[in-house]
Amino acid sequence: MTMQTRVFVVHMSPSLGSLFFTKAKEIWMMSEGFVWIITDRLANLIDLLNPSVMEAMNGALGVESYVPKSIELDSFTMRWYMRSRNDHPNDPTLKLNIFGLWSYDTIWGLAQAAEKAKITQAKFLRQAKFLRPPALKNSTSLGALKKSRNGPAILKALLQNKFEGLSGYFDLSDGQLQVSKFQIINVVGQARRVIGFWTAQNGLSQQLDQRSNIKYWNTTHDPKIVIWPDESTKIPRGWKIPTNGKKLQVGVVTGNKYKKYIDVVEDSITGVIKASGIAIDVFEEAVKRLPYALPYEYVVFNIAKNSSSSYDDFVNQVYLKKYDIAVGDITIRYNRSLYVDFTQPYTESGIAMVVPVRESINKNTWIFLKPLTPGMWIGTIILFIYTGIVIWLLELLGNNKAIHGPVPRQLGTRIYFSLFEESECLSVTPFPVNYWIFIAQWSS
C-alpha cells in the first residue's frame, strides 16, 4: 500500500491465491483504483475455488486457456457427469477443467502414437539383478517400472502427432503443449464472464469463432465493459499517490540574490516550505507531465551570500544522498558534473540588448520624400526654376516665336525647357557678344 502502483499480477497456485485475495480484501486492497490480473495458473482452476474466495476476487481480470465448443466435448462432459454420479452418488460431482481435458487428450495421443509406431507387444531392457528393485503389486513407484525398448519410437511418434482434441488443437512440438488461444475473464460476484480473447497470431480480440473471424479491439470500438474492484466501471489510472511512504527530497537554496529565479519561504507556524521562481516553475511543470505520481517535499539549504563555494556544498548534498535532487540557480561546471548529473540547461548566461520594436513598413503617402532632406529638396526646386528661366531668356533674346504667347503658355514652356531638350523648339540663331556678356553678368 506504500507503493504508488495499483496494478498487480498474481501468479500463484489456487491454494495460495485463495489466501492471498482473502487477506487483500481484509486490508481494503480490493477497492476502487486497484487492478488485479491473475495468470492461467490460477484462472484455469477458478471454478474450483470457494465461493467466498470468488467474492473476494470480485473485479479481478484473468487469462485462462481457451477450450472451443464441440459435439465431442458435450458428449464427453455428459458421460463424465453420469459416470461420476453412478460411482459416487453421495459426493458432489467433480467439475471438468482444462487439466482433465489435457490429460484425456494426452492419453489419446499416446494411444495414437503407439499405433503409428506399430507397437504390438511390450519389450523391456534387461537389468542386472542387483540393480533391479523388488517388484511391488499395484505400485506407483517409478523406480519399480521397467525401461521399454519401444520408448524412443513412441516418443518420436507422440511429438509428431497433431490432432483436434477435446481441449483444442493438440500439439506437443518441442516437448511441450503449444497453447495458442486464451480468453480474458472478469470475476464478477461469485462467477466469471468472458470479455475477450487473445491469440498468438492476432493478439487481443473481442470476438472469436471457429472461422477465425477476428474483430480487433481498437479506439473506435470499445470492448465489453469491465467490472473493476468495488463494482466500479471507471477505468483505473494504475497509480495513486501513496498515503504513507518516502517522498522525494528536493533541495532548494535560500539566501541567494536573485529572488525572481528562486525564492524560498518557510511558514513559521506549520514549518511548510514554499518555493517560487522560474526554477521552481520549470521543476513543477516537469513533474506534472510525468505519467505517474511523484510526491515530493522541499528541503531548505542556506547558503552564504557572495560565496560560490556554498553552491558546491549544495550540489554535494545530492552526492551524499541527503537530497534526491537539487533545484535552483546552479551553474553547470566540470567539477560538479563529476559527482552529479545535470538536466539540459534551460537558461544561458550572457549579455543581451533590449530594443523597442518599431513597425518596419511606413504607410505614409509622402514616404518618397524621406531620401532627401528639406534643404536638398528646396535647392533642387530653385535649380529647376533657374534652369527654366535661363533657357527662356536665351530663346526670348533669340526671337524664338515658340515662346511667345500668353503667360501660362510661357510658364509651361519654361518647365518644358527645364526638363527636356527639344531641338525644334530651341533657336540656333547666334547671339551677339554683348548679349552673352549680359547673360553671364546676370547669372553671376
Side-chain angles (χ1 to χ4, degrees):
M1 295 183 67
T2 60
M3 300 172 61
Q4 64 183 10
T5 180
R6 289 295 181 264
V7 182
F8 301 96
V9 180
V10 182
H11 183 63
M12 297 180 178
S13 61
S15 57
L16 184 59
S18 300
L19 179 62
F20 176 81
F21 278 103
T22 302
K23 295 298 181 182
K25 185 178 181 180
E26 292 178 0
I27 60 175
W28 300 97
M29 291 188 68
M30 296 301 297
S31 57
E32 184 178 358
F34 286 88
V35 178
W36 297 94
I37 303 176
I38 58 177
T39 62
D40 59 338
R41 184 180 182 185
L42 177 58
N44 285 334
L45 297 175
I46 196 171
D47 293 333
L48 303 180
L49 299 180
N50 191 283
S52 61
V53 177
M54 291 284 291
E55 187 176 356
M57 296 173 60
N58 187 18
L61 297 178
V63 182
E64 67 176 6
S65 302
Y66 172 70
V67 179
K69 296 182 179 180
S70 62
I71 300 176
E72 292 79 6
L73 178 60
D74 295 339
S75 177
F76 179 80
T77 304
M78 186 178 298
R79 286 183 284 127
W80 168 268
Y81 287 144
M82 293 178 61
R83 181 69 177 268
S84 299
R85 292 175 183 176
N86 293 333
D87 295 345
H88 308 281
N90 298 326
D91 297 336
T93 304
L94 296 177
K95 296 182 178 180
L96 277 175
N97 54 59
I98 187 63
F99 296 101
L101 299 179
W102 282 343
S103 301
Y104 182 85
D105 290 340
T106 302
I107 298 299
W108 189 263
L110 181 61
Q112 292 180 350
E115 293 181 356
K116 293 180 180 179
K118 299 180 181 181
I119 304 301
T120 57
Q121 59 181 356
K123 297 181 180 180
F124 300 94
L125 298 177
R126 294 182 179 180
Q127 298 181 0
K129 293 183 179 180
F130 60 87
L131 295 176
R132 183 182 301 172
L136 300 176
K137 186 177 181 181
N138 297 330
S139 175
T140 57
S141 175
L142 296 178
L145 298 177
K146 298 180 180 180
K147 189 174 182 180
S148 174
R149 294 181 179 180
N150 303 322
I154 296 177
L155 178 60
K156 182 178 179 181
L158 181 61
L159 296 178
Q160 296 177 353
N161 189 17
K162 300 177 179 59
F163 61 94
E164 288 289 343
L166 298 180
S167 60
Y169 189 70
F170 187 84
D171 182 9
L172 290 178
S173 300
D174 300 328
Q176 188 173 0
L177 183 63
Q178 305 298 319
V179 181
S180 59
K181 296 180 181 180
F182 293 88
Q183 59 185 11
I184 315 300
I185 63 173
N186 183 204
V187 181
V188 180
Q190 298 182 0
R192 60 177 177 81
R193 64 190 185 98
V194 180
I195 61 174
F197 302 89
W198 183 90
T199 60
Q201 297 81 11
N202 302 315
L204 286 173
S205 60
Q206 188 177 4
Q207 297 178 357
L208 176 67
D209 55 24
Q210 302 301 323
R211 295 173 298 177
S212 299
N213 183 15
I214 306 296
K215 188 173 184 180
Y216 295 100
W217 282 350
N218 49 42
T219 56
T220 60
H221 192 284
D222 295 333
K224 295 180 180 179
I225 298 178
V226 179
I227 305 299
W228 302 99
D230 205 9
E231 298 183 358
S232 174
T233 57
K234 182 180 178 181
I235 300 177
R237 293 185 299 176
W239 57 268
K240 187 178 181 181
I241 299 178
T243 56
N244 51 1
K246 184 180 179 181
K247 296 183 179 180
L248 190 71
Q249 302 295 304
V250 181
V252 291
V253 293
T254 182
N256 59 329
K257 295 182 178 180
Y258 307 103
K259 301 299 182 181
K260 296 293 184 180
Y261 206 92
I262 181 171
D263 187 19
V264 179
V265 178
E266 182 177 1
D267 195 327
S268 58
I269 300 177
T270 61
V272 178
I273 305 299
K274 296 181 179 180
S276 60
I278 182 175
I280 299 298
D281 293 341
V282 173
F283 167 71
E284 292 181 351
E285 183 64 26
V287 173
K288 291 179 182 179
R289 299 193 179 191
L290 294 176
Y292 49 85
L294 184 62
Y296 60 89
E297 62 181 358
Y298 294 116
V299 182
V300 176
F301 181 84
N302 194 359
I303 63 174
K305 296 183 178 180
N306 300 326
S307 177
S308 59
S309 61
S310 296
Y311 276 92
D312 293 335
D313 298 337
F314 176 53
V315 173
N316 196 34
Q317 302 302 311
V318 180
Y319 175 73
L320 298 176
K321 297 183 179 180
K322 292 184 179 180
Y323 304 152
D324 296 317
I325 60 174
V327 178
D329 50 342
I330 306 172
T331 304
I332 301 177
R333 294 181 179 178
Y334 173 75
N335 59 332
R336 297 173 182 174
S337 62
L338 297 176
Y339 302 97
V340 296
D341 294 329
F342 288 91
T343 61
Q344 292 294 328
Y346 49 87
T347 57
E348 295 182 0
S349 59
I351 301 176
M353 181 181 293
V354 181
V355 296
V357 178
R358 293 182 179 179
E359 190 175 0
S360 59
I361 300 177
N362 195 336
K363 299 181 181 180
N364 191 358
T365 307
W366 302 97
I367 187 63
F368 68 93
L369 299 177
K370 291 292 184 181
L372 299 180
T373 60
M376 289 293 295
W377 281 111
I378 294 173
T380 303
I381 295 173
I382 293 174
L383 182 62
F384 177 80
I385 297 174
Y386 172 77
T387 303
I389 293 175
V390 170
I391 296 177
W392 179 77
L393 287 176
L394 291 176
E395 295 298 326
L396 180 64
L397 295 176
N399 296 322
N400 190 348
K401 298 179 179 181
I403 63 174
H404 295 282
V407 176
R409 180 180 179 183
Q410 294 183 17
L411 291 176
T413 304
R414 294 174 190 177
I415 296 174
Y416 182 83
F417 286 160
S418 63
L419 295 177
F420 307 101
E421 180 183 359
E422 185 63 40
S423 59
E424 296 180 356
C425 296
L426 296 179
S427 175
V428 294
T429 305
F431 295 99
V433 177
N434 55 352
Y435 287 177
W436 287 107
I437 295 174
F438 169 77
I439 295 174
Q441 292 177 352
W442 182 83
S443 301
S444 61

